[in-house]
Amino acid sequence: MTTITIDLEKDPAVTNLRNYLRIRSVQPNINYDECITYLRGQGAQLGLPVQVFEPVPKKPVLVMTWLGTEPALPSILLNSHMDVVPVFEKSWTHPPFAADLVDGVIYARGVQDMKSVAVQYIEAVRRLKEKGIRLKRTVHLSFVPDEEIGGGPGMAEFVKTDGFKGLNVGFSLDEGLASATDDYVVFNGERSIWHIEVTCRGKSGHGSLLLPDNNGEKIRYIIDKFMDLRGESKKKLEDDPSLTIGDVTSVNLTQLHGGIHDNIIPEKLSVCFDIRLALSVDHQQFEDMIKRWCAEAGSDVTYTFAQKDCYVASTPLDNTNPYWLAFKEAAEKLNISLKPRTFPGGTDSRYIRQLGVRALGFSPMARTTPMLHAHDENLHAGTYLRGIEIYEALVPALANVDSF
Ligand code: ZN
């Protein structure tokens, strides 16, 4: 065992993270009791009051509160989700819930997404409190369930409650993504998720005939249209290297259904698409286009949505947003370079932004290969510790933003 690992083995902030990682809060059907017990303990250590809300039974939301010197000002929310995605244990070289520390690297499900960030918030607040620092605005640390299944029973419900309103949130930080370069990526918006199923009905009959009203022809038309759109987005990305996936509309065919036998033309065929609408897309026009395609494909072609996110405006990154100015200034002092982006997937930030509250996604992991949801998810302990220092600067900068 190397010296660096021995030192890290003894580091209390590393130990604290590893303890949280060992809790199997893995989807689906999570029992959050162990997380809540761990977090209550953290709150007690920090000397912060803890509230546990349960907007949905068995789906607790835990909030630690560090009262500011001007508690009437809108607060700062440091949000993280407690759940992690499932593992294919056989594909891991380290047990996913052992939090092994090898050559300075911690291996565990959730070490990037996003238990490291949760404990970084806790450790940063611990250090600030130990220095006797007081901040103007109240800082809330929230720990929510079920982000990995879309946040429906978690943040989506929590934001509707009086408990959330009582937090008086003015600005929120939540997860971002690791970055393989020296830059730290900060996300100020998300694309809207649409999951659509298009069903093509037509004349059923024997597979030896050439009957009219054929649903095979109809579904080909629909698939062509969606795949042409996919091709356009791919081309946009290829033609402009400054664009990232979050800047374009992505389209993927995810399911095909239909048919009962090799020589029978079925009554219906259906196809599902996972679409992420770029922030520049007009939702009404986009749906009108789909409606038109269905009409062009032939009779009895219909669509339904399994998910249809509304448009959520991104958080402005300009002089109108004093929290952003504070964030940027703190980053400059830390000598870290920020790269603003649109998040490629969905996070709980969208529920916060939907309320008109400014929110940024930020996971301080530079020079780190993004491994969220991957086998052998890992993070260098040094990167994790550096992240605590970053929050030690960011949290006061945000919580000391003057009233505006
Ligand atoms: Zn996450």
Side-chain angles (χ1 to χ4, degrees):
M1 195 178 282
T2 58
T3 331
I4 176 168
T5 298
I6 293 164
D7 289 344
L8 289 170
E9 290 274 3
K10 284 189 259 170
D11 186 293
V14 172
T15 303
N16 204 11
L17 170 60
R18 293 171 74 200
N19 288 340
Y20 191 31
L21 291 167
R22 288 181 184 125
I23 300 172
R24 288 175 169 262
S25 51
V26 56
Q27 292 289 356
N29 304 319
I30 300 168
N31 179 339
Y32 286 102
D33 290 354
E34 226 184 308
C35 284
I36 296 299
T37 304
Y38 165 85
L39 293 167
R40 278 190 190 280
Q42 298 295 310
Q45 278 182 21
L46 296 176
L48 298 182
V50 167
Q51 302 176 80
V52 179
F53 303 94
E54 219 173 86
V56 177
K58 303 278 174 206
K59 307 288 186 189
V61 173
L62 186 141
V63 179
M64 299 177 195
T65 298
W66 185 15
L67 205 64
T69 56
E70 296 178 33
L73 288 176
S75 67
I76 305 299
L77 184 71
L78 306 177
N79 185 60
S80 63
H81 61 81
M82 301 181 283
D83 58 323
V84 300
V85 294
V87 289
F88 301 95
E89 204 146 351
K90 279 186 203 141
S91 306
W92 284 62
T93 57
H94 297 270
F97 297 98
D100 282 352
L101 177 60
V102 183
D103 295 331
V105 178
I106 305 166
Y107 294 84
R109 172 56 87 225
V111 71
Q112 287 196 14
D113 182 15
M114 64 172 297
K115 285 178 168 174
S116 55
V117 175
V119 185
Q120 282 166 336
Y121 296 151
I122 290 170
E123 294 299 332
V125 168
R126 187 195 313 278
R127 291 180 193 181
L128 292 167
K129 287 198 85 206
E130 278 170 1
K131 286 182 201 156
I133 288 169
R134 295 289 312 272
L135 305 174
K136 268 187 209 167
R137 292 171 190 261
T138 293
V139 175
H140 298 290
L141 285 71
S142 57
F143 303 84
V144 300
D146 286 10
E147 189 278 339
E148 295 292 2
I149 54 166
M155 189 59 100
E157 282 303 314
F158 183 48
V159 296
K160 296 177 192 162
T161 64
D162 289 339
F164 181 83
K165 286 185 191 98
L167 303 180
N168 186 25
V169 178
F171 177 81
S172 150
L173 279 183
D174 202 330
E175 65 191 314
L177 291 173
S179 141
T181 69
D182 284 348
D183 300 318
Y184 287 77
V185 190
V186 54
F187 298 93
N188 69 319
E190 294 180 9
R191 298 179 296 175
S192 306
I193 306 170
W194 283 16
H195 290 162
I196 189 170
E197 177 169 17
V198 181
T199 302
C200 304
R201 290 185 172 76
K203 195 165 179 53
S204 175
H206 200 274
S208 63
L209 304 173
L210 290 170
L211 297 172
D213 191 26
N214 181 260
N215 48 25
E217 288 177 11
K218 296 176 190 179
I219 202 164
R220 180 181 70 171
Y221 187 86
I222 293 295
I223 292 173
D224 276 351
K225 286 295 180 189
F226 278 96
M227 290 301 106
D228 287 351
L229 188 64
R230 187 178 198 277
E232 281 171 33
S233 293
K234 276 174 70 183
K235 188 165 183 332
K236 266 187 210 163
L237 275 183
E238 283 160 15
D239 290 352
D240 184 350
S242 76
L243 295 179
T244 60
I245 183 71
D247 298 317
V248 298
T249 297
S250 61
V251 181
N252 280 294
L253 195 166
T254 52
Q255 295 189 66
L256 279 166
H257 302 283
I260 47 166
H261 203 265
D262 288 350
N263 66 357
I264 299 173
I265 302 164
E267 281 178 337
K268 65 173 186 180
L269 294 167
S270 66
V271 55
C272 301
F273 300 97
D274 179 333
I275 309 166
R276 312 292 169 114
L277 282 80
L279 282 156
S280 55
V281 170
D282 180 292
H283 285 203
Q284 190 57 53
Q285 279 178 15
F286 196 84
E287 187 172 349
D288 287 347
M289 177 179 73
I290 294 172
K291 216 178 273 178
R292 198 175 64 240
W293 290 347
C294 289
E296 288 164 1
S299 59
D300 287 328
V301 177
T302 55
Y303 63 89
T304 53
F305 287 104
Q307 181 172 351
K308 190 186 181 203
D309 286 1
C310 60
Y311 170 79
V312 179
S314 47
T315 293
L317 300 184
D318 56 29
N319 294 344
T320 64
N321 181 0
Y323 298 109
W324 167 244
L325 298 181
F327 191 106
K328 213 171 59 162
E329 195 184 302
E332 276 159 19
K333 280 188 195 152
L334 285 162
N335 208 13
I336 64 173
S337 108
L338 296 176
K339 278 270 179 289
R341 295 251 188 283
T342 301
F343 199 83
T347 74
D348 281 337
S349 283
R350 68 185 185 277
Y351 301 117
I352 306 275
R353 289 192 192 108
Q354 219 167 333
L355 306 171
V357 174
R358 299 168 174 97
L360 295 177
F362 180 68
S363 295
M365 297 180 284
R367 270 163 265 128
T368 302
T369 309
M371 289 193 78
L372 70 167
H373 303 193
H375 309 316
D376 273 337
E377 183 176 347
N378 67 72
L379 180 64
H380 201 285
T383 307
Y384 159 71
L385 292 171
R386 174 70 179 139
I388 298 172
E389 292 170 2
I390 291 172
Y391 284 117
E392 265 186 274
L394 275 184
V395 173
L398 293 166
N400 285 331
V401 166
D402 285 321
S403 122
F404 56 89

